[in-house]
């Protein structure tokens, strides 16, 4: 069976941020993972089963500090990439928060394409690490909604706070 569909092509320009830091990969990875805990899925289920309201759910599932970010997914592609011929320690994450995601979702569920944010770490030699992430607001402005764009700027602030919390400088594009 074939479904009829309408195609829309929406060109988008996104700003990719790369920070190369004088810190070993494992050190920065540990710092990031300590600062951005995994989403507590058991707590989420318990809150949903208990009929928690939105305020309680977002408050109890928020990450630490002013950034509030949690890890929805972590991946370590190092072993697979090694088989493919590239022996570079790396880790990929999806990080975000429910509160900001919901603000965008109610205006355009497609905004979930960019939240949670994807963040990648990889080693550059034995004592340097590169952190790569797309600037949230640059990806979200293309939805053409002021509410989504404003949430994107909030994610910019949260990302900048996180980077400072793990000892990295706030990139110039995140200085609001």
């Amino acid at each position: 069976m074939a479904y009829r569909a309408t195609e829309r092509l929406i060109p988008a320009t996104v700003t990719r941020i790369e920070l190369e830091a004088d810190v070993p990969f494992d050190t920065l990875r540990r710092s990031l993972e300590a600062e951005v805990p995994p989403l507590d899925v058991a707590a989420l289920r318990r809150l949903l089963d208990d009929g928690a309201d939105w305020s309680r759910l977002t408050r109890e599932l928020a990450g630490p500090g002013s950034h509030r970010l949690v890890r929805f997914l972590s991946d370590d592609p190092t072993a697979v990439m090694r088989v493919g011929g590239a022996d570079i320690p790396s880790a990929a994450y999806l990080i975000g928060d429910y509160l900001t995601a919901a603000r965008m979702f109610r205006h355009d569920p497609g905004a979930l394409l960019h939240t949670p944010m994807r963040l990648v770490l990889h080693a550059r030699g034995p004592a340097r690490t590169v952190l790569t992430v797309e600037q949230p607001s640059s990806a979200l402005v293309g939805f053409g909604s002021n509410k989504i764009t404003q949430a994107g700027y909030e994610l910019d602030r949260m990302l900048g706070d996180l980077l400072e919390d793990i000892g990295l400088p706030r990139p110039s594009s995140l200085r609001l």
Side-chain angles (χ1 to χ4, degrees):
M1 169 178 238
Y3 299 102
R4 288 184 358 120
T6 302
E7 177 181 312
R8 288 189 326 155
L9 301 176
I10 303 162
T13 301
V14 177
T15 302
R16 185 176 65 231
I17 298 168
E18 290 184 359
L19 292 175
E20 186 170 338
D22 292 327
V23 59
F25 171 79
D26 288 331
T27 301
L28 190 56
R29 182 180 190 174
R30 279 192 304 273
S31 181
L32 177 71
E33 291 182 359
E35 189 62 34
V36 183
L39 174 67
D40 187 339
V41 176
L44 172 60
R45 286 190 185 120
R46 188 176 56 254
L47 288 163
L48 293 174
D49 289 346
D50 291 347
D53 66 9
W54 183 246
S55 176
R56 180 176 168 215
L57 186 132
T58 57
R59 183 179 61 254
E60 291 188 25
L61 295 177
S66 61
H67 60 75
R68 302 188 321 257
L69 300 168
V70 296
R71 277 184 280 143
F72 291 95
L73 179 73
S74 300
D75 183 37
D76 184 342
T78 305
V80 172
M81 294 299 123
R82 185 177 302 124
V83 173
D87 192 7
I88 302 168
S90 59
Y93 305 93
L94 291 179
I95 63 173
D97 77 305
Y98 282 118
L99 191 61
T100 310
R103 285 176 40 210
M104 292 181 279
F105 185 86
R106 67 178 66 106
H107 298 286
D108 187 337
L112 290 183
L113 183 62
H114 299 288
T115 185
M117 296 175 270
R118 185 176 180 106
L119 186 145
V120 176
L121 296 178
H122 70 84
R124 175 138 317 139
R128 296 184 66 77
T129 302
V130 177
L131 180 147
T132 305
V133 64
E134 290 179 347
Q135 181 179 354
S137 64
S138 73
L140 292 162
V141 71
F143 283 87
S145 164
N146 185 51
K147 300 288 186 182
I148 293 173
T149 300
Q150 290 304 312
Y153 290 132
E154 178 65 13
L155 287 170
D156 285 358
R157 184 201 56 79
M158 294 163 68
L159 176 59
D161 290 349
L162 166 64
L163 295 174
E164 287 180 343
D165 288 348
I166 64 172
L168 294 174
R170 184 179 296 260
S172 60
S173 66
L174 302 180
R175 294 185 193 131
L176 305 173

